[in-house]
mmCIF file of all heavy atoms in Angstrom:
data_model
loop_
_atom_site.group_PDB
_atom_site.id
_atom_site.type_symbol
_atom_site.label_atom_id
_atom_site.label_comp_id
_atom_site.label_asym_id
_atom_site.label_seq_id
_atom_site.Cartn_x
_atom_site.Cartn_y
_atom_site.Cartn_z
ATOM 1 N N GLY A 1385 -14.234 4.583 -21.748
ATOM 2 C CA GLY A 1385 -15.008 5.031 -21.194
ATOM 3 C C GLY A 1385 -16.130 5.651 -20.535
ATOM 4 O O GLY A 1385 -15.989 6.649 -19.912
ATOM 5 N N PRO A 1398 -20.425 4.491 11.868
ATOM 6 C CA PRO A 1398 -20.761 5.905 12.040
ATOM 7 C C PRO A 1398 -20.038 6.793 11.045
ATOM 8 O O PRO A 1398 -20.401 7.938 10.862
ATOM 9 C CB PRO A 1398 -20.305 6.199 13.474
ATOM 10 C CG PRO A 1398 -19.381 5.099 13.855
ATOM 11 C CD PRO A 1398 -19.775 3.913 13.040
ATOM 12 N N VAL A 1415 -6.645 9.427 11.896
ATOM 13 C CA VAL A 1415 -5.807 8.409 11.259
ATOM 14 C C VAL A 1415 -6.675 7.611 10.302
ATOM 15 O O VAL A 1415 -7.789 7.209 10.659
ATOM 16 C CB VAL A 1415 -5.210 7.434 12.297
ATOM 17 C CG1 VAL A 1415 -4.179 6.524 11.631
ATOM 18 C CG2 VAL A 1415 -4.582 8.174 13.465
ATOM 19 N N ALA A 1429 -1.045 4.494 16.184
ATOM 20 C CA ALA A 1429 -0.871 5.870 15.701
ATOM 21 C C ALA A 1429 -1.651 6.837 16.585
ATOM 22 O O ALA A 1429 -1.172 7.926 16.925
ATOM 23 C CB ALA A 1429 -1.332 5.973 14.246
ATOM 24 N N GLY A 1436 -0.399 14.276 21.869
ATOM 25 C CA GLY A 1436 0.130 15.515 21.298
ATOM 26 C C GLY A 1436 1.298 15.292 20.355
ATOM 27 O O GLY A 1436 1.968 16.244 19.961
ATOM 28 N N ALA A 1442 3.439 9.222 14.318
ATOM 29 C CA ALA A 1442 2.239 8.378 14.389
ATOM 30 C C ALA A 1442 2.173 7.411 13.205
ATOM 31 O O ALA A 1442 1.874 6.225 13.376
ATOM 32 C CB ALA A 1442 0.993 9.252 14.432
ATOM 33 N N VAL A 1447 2.246 1.810 11.172
ATOM 34 C CA VAL A 1447 2.508 0.732 10.203
ATOM 35 C C VAL A 1447 3.517 -0.284 10.749
ATOM 36 O O VAL A 1447 3.561 -1.426 10.276
ATOM 37 C CB VAL A 1447 2.949 1.262 8.816
ATOM 38 C CG1 VAL A 1447 1.875 2.177 8.233
ATOM 39 C CG2 VAL A 1447 4.300 1.942 8.857
ATOM 40 N N SER A 1450 1.763 -3.527 11.756
ATOM 41 C CA SER A 1450 1.548 -4.518 10.680
ATOM 42 C C SER A 1450 2.861 -5.178 10.271
ATOM 43 O O SER A 1450 2.901 -6.383 10.007
ATOM 44 C CB SER A 1450 0.921 -3.851 9.454
ATOM 45 O OG SER A 1450 -0.253 -3.170 9.807
ATOM 46 N N ILE A 1477 7.787 6.812 3.309
ATOM 47 C CA ILE A 1477 7.230 7.686 4.351
ATOM 48 C C ILE A 1477 7.378 9.135 3.887
ATOM 49 O O ILE A 1477 8.339 9.468 3.179
ATOM 50 C CB ILE A 1477 7.945 7.429 5.704
ATOM 51 C CG1 ILE A 1477 7.232 8.112 6.876
ATOM 52 C CG2 ILE A 1477 9.427 7.838 5.654
ATOM 53 C CD1 ILE A 1477 7.629 7.546 8.242
ATOM 54 N N ALA A 1488 13.360 -0.016 -1.182
ATOM 55 C CA ALA A 1488 12.663 -1.006 -2.004
ATOM 56 C C ALA A 1488 13.557 -2.219 -2.201
ATOM 57 O O ALA A 1488 14.784 -2.120 -2.139
ATOM 58 C CB ALA A 1488 12.296 -0.410 -3.364
ATOM 59 N N SER A 1492 15.451 -8.982 4.813
ATOM 60 C CA SER A 1492 16.003 -9.282 6.145
ATOM 61 C C SER A 1492 15.869 -8.189 7.190
ATOM 62 O O SER A 1492 16.520 -8.258 8.232
ATOM 63 C CB SER A 1492 17.497 -9.647 6.034
ATOM 64 O OG SER A 1492 17.674 -10.670 5.100
ATOM 65 N N ILE A 1499 13.601 2.290 8.274
ATOM 66 C CA ILE A 1499 14.788 2.508 7.426
ATOM 67 C C ILE A 1499 14.479 3.630 6.421
ATOM 68 O O ILE A 1499 15.314 4.507 6.158
ATOM 69 C CB ILE A 1499 15.203 1.201 6.716
ATOM 70 C CG1 ILE A 1499 15.402 0.082 7.762
ATOM 71 C CG2 ILE A 1499 16.475 1.409 5.894
ATOM 72 C CD1 ILE A 1499 15.577 -1.310 7.173
ATOM 73 N N GLU A 1534 7.207 -19.861 8.946
ATOM 74 C CA GLU A 1534 6.850 -21.215 8.518
ATOM 75 C C GLU A 1534 5.567 -21.176 7.675
ATOM 76 O O GLU A 1534 5.465 -21.840 6.641
ATOM 77 C CB GLU A 1534 6.678 -22.075 9.781
ATOM 78 C CG GLU A 1534 6.849 -23.551 9.607
ATOM 79 C CD GLU A 1534 7.994 -23.988 8.693
ATOM 80 O OE1 GLU A 1534 9.038 -23.301 8.617
ATOM 81 O OE2 GLU A 1534 7.825 -25.015 8.031
ATOM 82 N N ALA A 1567 -2.204 10.385 8.331
ATOM 83 C CA ALA A 1567 -2.671 10.948 9.609
ATOM 84 C C ALA A 1567 -2.523 12.459 9.621
ATOM 85 O O ALA A 1567 -1.666 13.032 8.937
ATOM 86 C CB ALA A 1567 -1.875 10.339 10.769
ATOM 87 N N ALA A 1570 -2.635 17.004 15.982
ATOM 88 C CA ALA A 1570 -3.416 18.071 16.623
ATOM 89 C C ALA A 1570 -3.013 19.449 16.109
ATOM 90 O O ALA A 1570 -3.810 20.397 16.130
ATOM 91 C CB ALA A 1570 -3.251 17.997 18.138
ATOM 92 N N PRO A 1657 -11.648 -4.019 -15.611
ATOM 93 C CA PRO A 1657 -10.519 -4.628 -14.895
ATOM 94 C C PRO A 1657 -10.972 -5.658 -13.857
ATOM 95 O O PRO A 1657 -11.956 -5.447 -13.152
ATOM 96 C CB PRO A 1657 -9.864 -3.437 -14.189
ATOM 97 C CG PRO A 1657 -10.339 -2.229 -14.902
ATOM 98 C CD PRO A 1657 -11.693 -2.566 -15.445
ATOM 99 N N ALA A 1665 -7.909 8.567 1.372
ATOM 100 C CA ALA A 1665 -7.486 9.969 1.275
ATOM 101 C C ALA A 1665 -7.984 10.757 2.478
ATOM 102 O O ALA A 1665 -9.043 10.468 3.038
ATOM 103 C CB ALA A 1665 -8.023 10.587 -0.016
ATOM 104 N N ASN A 1691 -12.094 4.165 16.893
ATOM 105 C CA ASN A 1691 -11.411 3.554 15.760
ATOM 106 C C ASN A 1691 -12.377 2.574 15.103
ATOM 107 O O ASN A 1691 -12.827 1.632 15.740
ATOM 108 C CB ASN A 1691 -10.159 2.826 16.300
ATOM 109 C CG ASN A 1691 -9.252 2.336 15.201
ATOM 110 O OD1 ASN A 1691 -9.434 2.679 14.033
ATOM 111 N ND2 ASN A 1691 -8.268 1.537 15.570
#
Side-chain angles (χ1 to χ4, degrees):
V1415 189
V1447 301
S1450 306
I1477 191 162
S1492 307
I1499 306 170
E1534 203 41 32
N1691 189 10

